[in-house]
mmCIF file of all heavy atoms in Angstrom:
data_model
loop_
_atom_site.group_PDB
_atom_site.id
_atom_site.type_symbol
_atom_site.label_atom_id
_atom_site.label_comp_id
_atom_site.label_asym_id
_atom_site.label_seq_id
_atom_site.Cartn_x
_atom_site.Cartn_y
_atom_site.Cartn_z
ATOM 1 N N VAL V 1 92.191 99.254 99.967
ATOM 2 C CA VAL V 1 91.347 100.213 100.687
ATOM 3 C C VAL V 1 89.883 99.780 100.645
ATOM 4 O O VAL V 1 89.156 99.920 101.640
ATOM 5 C CB VAL V 1 91.527 101.628 100.108
ATOM 6 C CG1 VAL V 1 90.486 102.589 100.678
ATOM 7 C CG2 VAL V 1 92.931 102.139 100.391
ATOM 8 N N LYS V 2 89.445 99.237 99.515
ATOM 9 C CA LYS V 2 88.054 98.759 99.430
ATOM 10 C C LYS V 2 87.797 97.645 100.443
ATOM 11 O O LYS V 2 86.712 97.554 101.027
ATOM 12 C CB LYS V 2 87.773 98.236 98.020
ATOM 13 C CG LYS V 2 87.598 99.314 96.981
ATOM 14 C CD LYS V 2 87.289 98.702 95.628
ATOM 15 C CE LYS V 2 87.137 99.772 94.563
ATOM 16 N NZ LYS V 2 86.871 99.190 93.215
ATOM 17 N N ARG V 3 88.804 96.804 100.653
ATOM 18 C CA ARG V 3 88.652 95.699 101.607
ATOM 19 C C ARG V 3 88.864 96.141 103.048
ATOM 20 O O ARG V 3 88.401 95.470 103.974
ATOM 21 C CB ARG V 3 89.650 94.571 101.274
ATOM 22 C CG ARG V 3 89.455 93.940 99.905
ATOM 23 C CD ARG V 3 90.225 92.624 99.803
ATOM 24 N NE ARG V 3 91.627 92.773 100.217
ATOM 25 C CZ ARG V 3 92.627 93.068 99.402
ATOM 26 N NH1 ARG V 3 92.384 93.262 98.103
ATOM 27 N NH2 ARG V 3 93.866 93.164 99.840
ATOM 28 N N ASN V 4 89.571 97.241 103.240
ATOM 29 C CA ASN V 4 89.933 97.673 104.591
ATOM 30 C C ASN V 4 89.636 99.167 104.802
ATOM 31 O O ASN V 4 90.541 99.938 105.146
ATOM 32 C CB ASN V 4 91.421 97.403 104.846
ATOM 33 C CG ASN V 4 91.803 95.939 104.688
ATOM 34 O OD1 ASN V 4 91.668 95.154 105.606
ATOM 35 N ND2 ASN V 4 92.281 95.609 103.499
ATOM 36 N N PRO V 5 88.397 99.603 104.600
ATOM 37 C CA PRO V 5 88.114 101.043 104.724
ATOM 38 C C PRO V 5 88.396 101.594 106.118
ATOM 39 O O PRO V 5 88.719 102.780 106.268
ATOM 40 C CB PRO V 5 86.625 101.134 104.380
ATOM 41 C CG PRO V 5 86.087 99.763 104.631
ATOM 42 C CD PRO V 5 87.193 98.826 104.299
ATOM 43 N N GLN V 6 88.304 100.722 107.142
ATOM 44 C CA GLN V 6 88.534 101.179 108.510
ATOM 45 C C GLN V 6 90.004 101.518 108.773
ATOM 46 O O GLN V 6 90.331 102.187 109.766
ATOM 47 C CB GLN V 6 88.064 100.110 109.514
ATOM 48 C CG GLN V 6 88.947 98.872 109.620
ATOM 49 C CD GLN V 6 88.802 97.887 108.458
ATOM 50 O OE1 GLN V 6 88.006 98.098 107.545
ATOM 51 N NE2 GLN V 6 89.568 96.799 108.500
ATOM 52 N N ARG V 7 90.913 101.106 107.869
ATOM 53 C CA ARG V 7 92.335 101.380 108.048
ATOM 54 C C ARG V 7 92.847 102.466 107.091
ATOM 55 O O ARG V 7 94.057 102.619 106.927
ATOM 56 C CB ARG V 7 93.131 100.087 107.848
ATOM 57 C CG ARG V 7 92.806 98.998 108.870
ATOM 58 C CD ARG V 7 93.676 97.774 108.680
ATOM 59 N NE ARG V 7 95.086 98.069 108.926
ATOM 60 C CZ ARG V 7 96.077 97.187 108.677
ATOM 61 N NH1 ARG V 7 95.783 95.994 108.175
ATOM 62 N NH2 ARG V 7 97.338 97.508 108.927
ATOM 63 N N LEU V 8 91.923 103.217 106.484
ATOM 64 C CA LEU V 8 92.319 104.230 105.512
ATOM 65 C C LEU V 8 93.262 105.261 106.133
ATOM 66 O O LEU V 8 94.296 105.598 105.556
ATOM 67 C CB LEU V 8 91.081 104.925 104.943
ATOM 68 C CG LEU V 8 91.355 106.076 103.973
ATOM 69 C CD1 LEU V 8 92.107 105.585 102.740
ATOM 70 C CD2 LEU V 8 90.051 106.755 103.578
ATOM 71 N N ASN V 9 92.920 105.758 107.315
ATOM 72 C CA ASN V 9 93.781 106.767 107.942
ATOM 73 C C ASN V 9 95.170 106.226 108.233
ATOM 74 O O ASN V 9 96.175 106.932 108.078
ATOM 75 C CB ASN V 9 93.136 107.283 109.231
ATOM 76 C CG ASN V 9 92.038 108.291 108.956
ATOM 77 O OD1 ASN V 9 91.961 108.854 107.864
ATOM 78 N ND2 ASN V 9 91.178 108.520 109.947
ATOM 79 N N GLU V 10 95.251 104.993 108.654
ATOM 80 C CA GLU V 10 96.551 104.381 108.924
ATOM 81 C C GLU V 10 97.421 104.401 107.678
ATOM 82 O O GLU V 10 98.631 104.720 107.742
ATOM 83 C CB GLU V 10 96.353 102.941 109.411
ATOM 84 C CG GLU V 10 97.656 102.227 109.760
ATOM 85 C CD GLU V 10 97.432 100.760 110.127
ATOM 86 O OE1 GLU V 10 96.261 100.301 110.142
ATOM 87 O OE2 GLU V 10 98.440 100.072 110.382
ATOM 88 N N LEU V 11 96.808 104.078 106.542
ATOM 89 C CA LEU V 11 97.544 104.095 105.281
ATOM 90 C C LEU V 11 97.953 105.515 104.910
ATOM 91 O O LEU V 11 99.109 105.771 104.541
ATOM 92 C CB LEU V 11 96.678 103.495 104.168
ATOM 93 C CG LEU V 11 97.279 103.534 102.760
ATOM 94 C CD1 LEU V 11 98.505 102.646 102.672
ATOM 95 C CD2 LEU V 11 96.235 103.123 101.724
ATOM 96 N N MET V 12 97.006 106.455 105.014
ATOM 97 C CA MET V 12 97.293 107.834 104.632
ATOM 98 C C MET V 12 98.397 108.434 105.495
ATOM 99 O O MET V 12 99.286 109.144 105.012
ATOM 100 C CB MET V 12 96.031 108.695 104.746
ATOM 101 C CG MET V 12 94.885 108.310 103.831
ATOM 102 S SD MET V 12 95.264 108.532 102.058
ATOM 103 C CE MET V 12 95.518 106.827 101.562
ATOM 104 N N TRP V 13 98.356 108.174 106.778
ATOM 105 C CA TRP V 13 99.293 108.805 107.712
ATOM 106 C C TRP V 13 100.684 108.201 107.665
ATOM 107 O O TRP V 13 101.625 108.764 108.243
ATOM 108 C CB TRP V 13 98.732 108.734 109.129
ATOM 109 C CG TRP V 13 97.478 109.561 109.292
ATOM 110 C CD1 TRP V 13 97.042 110.559 108.486
ATOM 111 C CD2 TRP V 13 96.497 109.427 110.338
ATOM 112 N NE1 TRP V 13 95.852 111.071 108.939
ATOM 113 C CE2 TRP V 13 95.490 110.400 110.092
ATOM 114 C CE3 TRP V 13 96.350 108.614 111.457
ATOM 115 C CZ2 TRP V 13 94.379 110.558 110.903
ATOM 116 C CZ3 TRP V 13 95.240 108.768 112.278
ATOM 117 C CH2 TRP V 13 94.266 109.736 111.997
ATOM 118 N N ALA V 14 100.839 107.063 106.979
ATOM 119 C CA ALA V 14 102.182 106.500 106.790
ATOM 120 C C ALA V 14 103.042 107.438 105.932
ATOM 121 O O ALA V 14 104.270 107.351 105.947
ATOM 122 C CB ALA V 14 102.096 105.123 106.143
ATOM 123 N N ASN V 15 102.385 108.337 105.199
ATOM 124 C CA ASN V 15 103.089 109.369 104.433
ATOM 125 C C ASN V 15 102.958 110.687 105.177
ATOM 126 O O ASN V 15 101.902 111.321 105.173
ATOM 127 C CB ASN V 15 102.482 109.488 103.031
ATOM 128 C CG ASN V 15 103.106 110.620 102.226
ATOM 129 O OD1 ASN V 15 104.242 111.025 102.478
ATOM 130 N ND2 ASN V 15 102.358 111.137 101.269
ATOM 131 N N ALA V 16 104.020 111.127 105.817
ATOM 132 C CA ALA V 16 103.963 112.365 106.612
ATOM 133 C C ALA V 16 103.938 113.623 105.747
ATOM 134 O O ALA V 16 103.517 114.686 106.207
ATOM 135 C CB ALA V 16 105.156 112.425 107.569
ATOM 136 N N ARG V 17 104.366 113.517 104.469
ATOM 137 C CA ARG V 17 104.410 114.688 103.575
ATOM 138 C C ARG V 17 102.990 115.162 103.267
ATOM 139 O O ARG V 17 102.108 114.368 102.931
ATOM 140 C CB ARG V 17 105.139 114.326 102.278
ATOM 141 C CG ARG V 17 105.053 115.351 101.147
ATOM 142 C CD ARG V 17 105.905 116.568 101.417
ATOM 143 N NE ARG V 17 107.310 116.232 101.558
ATOM 144 C CZ ARG V 17 108.170 116.128 100.541
ATOM 145 N NH1 ARG V 17 107.771 116.312 99.305
ATOM 146 N NH2 ARG V 17 109.440 115.850 100.783
ATOM 147 N N TYR V 18 102.774 116.477 103.329
ATOM 148 C CA TYR V 18 101.483 117.054 102.972
ATOM 149 C C TYR V 18 101.739 118.234 102.045
ATOM 150 O O TYR V 18 102.530 119.131 102.357
ATOM 151 C CB TYR V 18 100.721 117.537 104.208
ATOM 152 C CG TYR V 18 99.229 117.676 103.984
ATOM 153 C CD1 TYR V 18 98.358 116.673 104.382
ATOM 154 C CD2 TYR V 18 98.703 118.806 103.375
ATOM 155 C CE1 TYR V 18 96.992 116.778 104.163
ATOM 156 C CE2 TYR V 18 97.342 118.924 103.139
ATOM 157 C CZ TYR V 18 96.499 117.906 103.545
ATOM 158 O OH TYR V 18 95.135 118.008 103.320
ATOM 159 N N VAL V 19 101.055 118.248 100.898
ATOM 160 C CA VAL V 19 101.217 119.302 99.895
ATOM 161 C C VAL V 19 99.994 120.208 99.914
ATOM 162 O O VAL V 19 98.853 119.731 99.964
ATOM 163 C CB VAL V 19 101.414 118.698 98.493
ATOM 164 C CG1 VAL V 19 101.417 119.778 97.419
ATOM 165 C CG2 VAL V 19 102.712 117.897 98.442
ATOM 166 N N PHE V 20 100.242 121.509 99.866
ATOM 167 C CA PHE V 20 99.176 122.506 99.826
ATOM 168 C C PHE V 20 99.109 123.116 98.419
ATOM 169 O O PHE V 20 100.085 123.080 97.660
ATOM 170 C CB PHE V 20 99.444 123.605 100.853
ATOM 171 C CG PHE V 20 99.511 123.100 102.270
ATOM 172 C CD1 PHE V 20 100.739 122.812 102.857
ATOM 173 C CD2 PHE V 20 98.357 122.896 103.011
ATOM 174 C CE1 PHE V 20 100.816 122.345 104.162
ATOM 175 C CE2 PHE V 20 98.421 122.429 104.317
ATOM 176 C CZ PHE V 20 99.654 122.147 104.894
ATOM 177 N N PHE V 21 97.938 123.703 98.097
ATOM 178 C CA PHE V 21 97.692 124.179 96.741
ATOM 179 C C PHE V 21 97.183 125.617 96.725
ATOM 180 O O PHE V 21 96.741 126.154 97.736
ATOM 181 C CB PHE V 21 96.669 123.264 96.043
ATOM 182 C CG PHE V 21 97.161 121.862 95.848
ATOM 183 C CD1 PHE V 21 96.926 120.878 96.799
ATOM 184 C CD2 PHE V 21 97.879 121.517 94.712
ATOM 185 C CE1 PHE V 21 97.383 119.580 96.624
ATOM 186 C CE2 PHE V 21 98.352 120.224 94.531
ATOM 187 C CZ PHE V 21 98.102 119.256 95.485
ATOM 188 N N ARG V 22 97.258 126.197 95.537
ATOM 189 C CA ARG V 22 96.605 127.480 95.257
ATOM 190 C C ARG V 22 95.709 127.275 94.038
ATOM 191 O O ARG V 22 96.035 126.487 93.143
ATOM 192 C CB ARG V 22 97.621 128.586 94.993
ATOM 193 C CG ARG V 22 98.488 128.371 93.780
ATOM 194 C CD ARG V 22 99.321 129.614 93.441
ATOM 195 N NE ARG V 22 100.219 129.942 94.534
ATOM 196 C CZ ARG V 22 101.464 129.496 94.639
ATOM 197 N NH1 ARG V 22 101.935 128.651 93.718
ATOM 198 N NH2 ARG V 22 102.237 129.850 95.633
ATOM 199 N N GLU V 23 94.607 127.985 94.005
ATOM 200 C CA GLU V 23 93.702 127.871 92.863
ATOM 201 C C GLU V 23 94.110 128.851 91.781
ATOM 202 O O GLU V 23 94.429 130.010 92.057
ATOM 203 C CB GLU V 23 92.263 128.142 93.298
ATOM 204 C CG GLU V 23 91.246 127.935 92.191
ATOM 205 C CD GLU V 23 89.808 128.051 92.675
ATOM 206 O OE1 GLU V 23 89.525 127.630 93.826
ATOM 207 O OE2 GLU V 23 88.973 128.567 91.903
ATOM 208 N N GLU V 24 94.094 128.379 90.527
ATOM 209 C CA GLU V 24 94.466 129.203 89.388
ATOM 210 C C GLU V 24 93.431 129.043 88.286
ATOM 211 O O GLU V 24 92.888 127.955 88.094
ATOM 212 C CB GLU V 24 95.845 128.777 88.845
ATOM 213 C CG GLU V 24 96.968 128.782 89.873
ATOM 214 C CD GLU V 24 98.223 128.105 89.358
ATOM 215 O OE1 GLU V 24 98.203 127.614 88.208
ATOM 216 O OE2 GLU V 24 99.217 128.066 90.101
ATOM 217 N N PRO V 25 93.147 130.094 87.541
ATOM 218 C CA PRO V 25 92.226 129.941 86.403
ATOM 219 C C PRO V 25 92.858 129.089 85.312
ATOM 220 O O PRO V 25 94.080 129.139 85.101
ATOM 221 C CB PRO V 25 91.999 131.383 85.938
ATOM 222 C CG PRO V 25 93.196 132.134 86.424
ATOM 223 C CD PRO V 25 93.624 131.474 87.705
ATOM 224 N N LEU V 26 92.049 128.310 84.632
ATOM 225 C CA LEU V 26 92.542 127.466 83.539
ATOM 226 C C LEU V 26 92.313 128.222 82.227
ATOM 227 O O LEU V 26 91.382 127.946 81.481
ATOM 228 C CB LEU V 26 91.815 126.121 83.538
ATOM 229 C CG LEU V 26 92.374 125.033 82.629
ATOM 230 C CD1 LEU V 26 93.805 124.681 83.000
ATOM 231 C CD2 LEU V 26 91.501 123.790 82.689
ATOM 232 N N ARG V 27 93.185 129.189 81.970
ATOM 233 C CA ARG V 27 92.989 130.073 80.818
ATOM 234 C C ARG V 27 93.233 129.361 79.492
ATOM 235 O O ARG V 27 92.554 129.612 78.504
ATOM 236 C CB ARG V 27 93.919 131.287 80.938
ATOM 237 C CG ARG V 27 93.583 132.213 82.099
ATOM 238 C CD ARG V 27 94.355 133.526 82.012
ATOM 239 N NE ARG V 27 93.981 134.437 83.091
ATOM 240 C CZ ARG V 27 94.611 134.527 84.249
ATOM 241 N NH1 ARG V 27 95.650 133.722 84.492
ATOM 242 N NH2 ARG V 27 94.216 135.382 85.172
ATOM 243 N N ASP V 28 94.238 128.510 79.463
ATOM 244 C CA ASP V 28 94.564 127.791 78.227
ATOM 245 C C ASP V 28 94.486 126.291 78.492
ATOM 246 O O ASP V 28 95.412 125.710 79.061
ATOM 247 C CB ASP V 28 95.971 128.164 77.753
ATOM 248 C CG ASP V 28 96.339 127.489 76.437
ATOM 249 O OD1 ASP V 28 95.508 126.729 75.898
ATOM 250 O OD2 ASP V 28 97.474 127.707 75.957
ATOM 251 N N PRO V 29 93.385 125.643 78.075
ATOM 252 C CA PRO V 29 93.248 124.209 78.336
ATOM 253 C C PRO V 29 94.317 123.354 77.667
ATOM 254 O O PRO V 29 94.504 122.196 78.034
ATOM 255 C CB PRO V 29 91.851 123.880 77.775
ATOM 256 C CG PRO V 29 91.147 125.180 77.697
ATOM 257 C CD PRO V 29 92.207 126.195 77.406
ATOM 258 N N GLN V 30 95.031 123.921 76.668
ATOM 259 C CA GLN V 30 96.052 123.155 75.959
ATOM 260 C C GLN V 30 97.443 123.320 76.566
ATOM 261 O O GLN V 30 98.412 122.760 76.047
ATOM 262 C CB GLN V 30 96.087 123.574 74.484
ATOM 263 C CG GLN V 30 94.772 123.346 73.760
ATOM 264 C CD GLN V 30 94.268 121.919 73.920
ATOM 265 O OE1 GLN V 30 95.015 120.960 73.708
ATOM 266 N NE2 GLN V 30 93.014 121.769 74.298
ATOM 267 N N ALA V 31 97.545 124.095 77.645
ATOM 268 C CA ALA V 31 98.845 124.296 78.302
ATOM 269 C C ALA V 31 98.876 123.544 79.620
ATOM 270 O O ALA V 31 97.860 123.455 80.322
ATOM 271 C CB ALA V 31 99.100 125.779 78.532
ATOM 272 N N GLY V 32 100.026 123.023 79.945
ATOM 273 C CA GLY V 32 100.189 122.323 81.211
ATOM 274 C C GLY V 32 100.345 123.292 82.372
ATOM 275 O O GLY V 32 100.359 124.517 82.194
#
């Protein structure tokens, strides 16, 4: 990617899967 920044989208779009998130408080930093 450092050598080919102009092709970043091409690389990213080769993976059609897209994951969405929700924000959660980090109440216990020692828990996963």
Side-chain angles (χ1 to χ4, degrees):
V1 170
K2 285 181 181 178
R3 298 195 309 269
N4 302 275
Q6 73 284 359
R7 297 183 64 188
L8 176 62
N9 282 342
E10 182 185 358
L11 176 66
M12 297 295 105
W13 294 342
N15 176 25
R17 169 73 61 86
Y18 201 98
V19 173
F20 300 96
F21 296 91
R22 63 171 62 91
E23 185 173 324
E24 305 169 359
L26 191 60
R27 293 191 177 93
D28 182 0
Q30 300 307 311

